[in-house]
Amino acid sequence: MARVPTGIPGFDELIEGGFIENDVILLTGGPGAGKSTFGSQYLYSGITQYNEPGVYVTFEETPARIMRNMWRYGWDMERLIKENKLRIIRADPIAYGRYIKKTLEPDKHDHDNATLETVLKQIYASVKEINAKRLFIDSLTSLKISPDPVDVRHIILEFVKNIESFDCTTLITSEANMNPDHFSVEEYLAEGVICLKVNRIAGERIRSLEILKMRGVKHDEVLRPYVITDKGIIVYSSDSVIGKEADVFSLQRSSILGE
Ligand SMILES: Nc1ncnc2c1ncn2[C@@H]1O[C@H](COP(=O)(O)OP(=O)(O)OP(=O)(O)O)[C@@H](O)[C@H]1O
């Protein structure tokens, strides 16, 4: 099976060298965990180290803001776009807006076909335009706008199943699952799940990463520290944060007890 290295220092050795080609991988984490950075680095390394074009799909940010943020790491996304190696697309705001309306008020918009299908077609068109091999979608949470969990399940299922047929190795972000005893539909559907965590120990921010699953891969199962630097994410694949996490809990407990 062909492997797709992320190019993120320290990460690929945790998953036997890279993702399995054409898999859909979920990247979860809270705000500021580094999901966008991880995904951008995956695309940027794909283009610059492995000559694999990539598409970045955003539901809420503007491409201009994404390019500006990525400049912080020295990644010149604009040049890659000009060279037809990268596309940054904002899911068509009109189609996406209609999708939201239709999902929230299904009876009022039954005549309106411009929904999720339009958004999927838009993504597919960009993939084909530059023959992309890597896809990064930020974020699946934007699609979970129906109050009905059955609707949400159906939407996510339809979205992920379509993306799976695009012949791209895809990374999709999602908000952290707050209930560890209950897997979300996307956690079941994805071939792999990577979880980014941020803890605070005496004022210091400790970032750690866990691979919850990676089908067909003998993956690492330890909580590994990572940092976000001026050049992007670095994972410390030989270190672990088990002791540090234990400190967080004892720290919380001692502040509650007033120790
Ligand atoms: N050069 C840097 N050095 C250290 N940390 C940095 C650097 N640049 C950005 N960061 C940190 O990276 C984080 C931003 O990461 P990113 O936008 O990838 O997170 P995210 O998980 O996508 O967040 P959200 O879900 O809110 O969009 C910020 O918390 C910021 O503090």
Side-chain angles (χ1 to χ4, degrees):
M1 257 175 301
R3 290 304 178 115
V4 178
T6 61
I8 294 171
F11 182 76
D12 293 323
E13 47 255 51
L14 304 180
I15 53 168
E16 297 183 316
F19 299 137
I20 294 178
E21 193 176 26
N22 293 345
D23 271 0
V24 172
I25 310 294
L26 191 71
L27 179 65
T28 72
K35 301 180 294 298
S36 309
T37 307
F38 194 108
S40 306
Q41 197 167 348
Y42 166 65
L43 293 183
Y44 189 81
S45 308
I47 298 165
T48 55
Q49 294 179 37
Y50 304 101
N51 201 23
E52 292 192 343
V55 172
Y56 188 132
V57 181
T58 165
F59 280 93
E60 268 136 37
E61 285 280 21
T62 60
R65 183 167 298 187
I66 289 165
M67 284 193 282
R68 194 197 62 197
N69 288 346
M70 293 312 126
W71 257 118
R72 289 180 316 190
Y73 304 113
W75 303 333
D76 186 351
M77 305 297 232
E78 207 172 340
R79 177 175 61 83
L80 300 183
I81 291 170
K82 282 190 189 133
E83 291 172 358
N84 284 326
K85 292 174 181 163
L86 175 72
R87 288 284 176 272
I88 304 179
I89 55 168
R90 189 173 185 196
D92 179 346
I94 298 172
Y96 181 51
R98 284 182 182 153
Y99 150 74
I100 289 174
K101 273 191 190 155
K102 183 164 178 170
T103 311
L104 292 177
E105 305 167 30
D107 300 336
K108 291 186 193 165
H109 297 270
D110 263 358
H111 59 283
D112 190 351
N113 291 323
T115 58
L116 199 58
E117 198 186 328
T118 315
V119 172
L120 282 162
K121 279 184 181 160
Q122 183 198 8
I123 298 172
Y124 189 67
S126 294
V127 165
K128 287 293 133 196
E129 195 188 330
I130 58 165
N131 197 20
K133 297 284 173 242
R134 298 180 181 219
L135 182 57
F136 174 55
I137 300 173
D138 197 13
S139 84
L140 204 61
T141 310
S142 307
L143 297 174
K144 295 183 171 183
I145 40 94
S146 171
D148 181 349
V150 178
D151 264 4
V152 168
R153 212 184 148 76
H154 178 77
I155 290 163
I156 299 300
L157 196 78
E158 192 182 336
F159 186 78
V160 173
K161 287 288 159 201
N162 273 282
I163 293 294
E164 275 176 352
S165 67
F166 285 8
D167 286 339
C168 281
T169 310
T170 305
L171 200 53
I172 308 184
T173 67
S174 174
E175 262 174 23
N177 182 356
M178 301 315 274
N179 182 355
D181 299 326
H182 176 83
F183 281 115
S184 60
V185 57
E186 61 269 29
E187 284 173 320
Y188 278 116
L189 281 176
E191 299 301 314
V193 180
I194 304 160
C195 182
L196 303 182
K197 304 167 194 253
V198 185
N199 290 318
R200 196 167 271 284
I201 303 173
E204 192 193 347
R205 190 175 278 185
I206 304 294
R207 299 177 187 274
S208 60
L209 170 157
E210 185 178 12
I211 298 161
L212 297 185
K213 76 169 190 185
M214 198 67 65
R215 284 186 194 127
V217 176
K218 191 171 175 295
H219 66 81
D220 183 78
E221 293 186 344
V222 176
L223 209 54
R224 303 291 181 188
Y226 68 94
V227 290
I228 304 181
T229 72
D230 286 348
K231 293 197 166 75
I233 290 178
I234 298 172
V235 180
Y236 293 104
S237 56
S238 308
D239 293 352
S240 83
V241 290
I242 294 166
K244 287 178 179 169
E245 238 203 357
D247 289 345
V248 173
F249 292 123
S250 61
L251 201 74
Q252 283 170 343
R253 196 185 60 215
S254 42
S255 63
I256 290 167
L257 296 175
E259 290 169 4

